[in-house]
Amino acid sequence: MAGRLPLHNRGSAIAQDRIDRLFDEMKAIGGPSGGERRHLGLGSYIVDKIVRAHGGSVDVTSSTEEGTTFTVRLPPVAAAASRHQ
């Protein structure tokens, strides 16, 4: 069985240039006005690595109107693996 797990947030939209770097390891980014600098943690990086190790993907869409949605997609479970559950 294939899996799809969406996680939705109605907070502020994430700018496209930040989305492009969301899954990079420990990157410093500017604050909303480009002044304050903060670091993205390891959370999104680790999730991406785990999901990819299982043959899946993580996608992000974000807009002011719709909010932000992270979607984890995993491939179908092999028949042998499902027999051991």
Side-chain angles (χ1 to χ4, degrees), residues 36-73:
E36 176 189 344
R37 294 191 61 82
R38 60 189 178 114
H39 293 270
L40 294 175
L42 289 172
S44 56
Y45 173 79
I46 291 170
V47 167
D48 184 61
K49 294 301 179 192
I50 291 170
V51 170
R52 287 181 186 275
H54 287 85
S57 64
V58 182
D59 298 309
V60 182
T61 59
S62 188
S63 70
T64 303
E65 301 79 28
E66 299 293 323
T68 301
T69 301
F70 287 82
T71 304
V72 173
R73 289 184 176 82

Side-chain angles (χ1 to χ4, degrees), residues 15-33:
Q16 186 59 48
D17 65 325
R18 290 185 181 178
I19 288 176
D20 294 341
R21 298 178 298 179
L22 267 179
F23 300 107
D24 293 348
E25 183 178 9
M26 297 292 283
K27 297 292 183 186
I29 60 174
S33 63

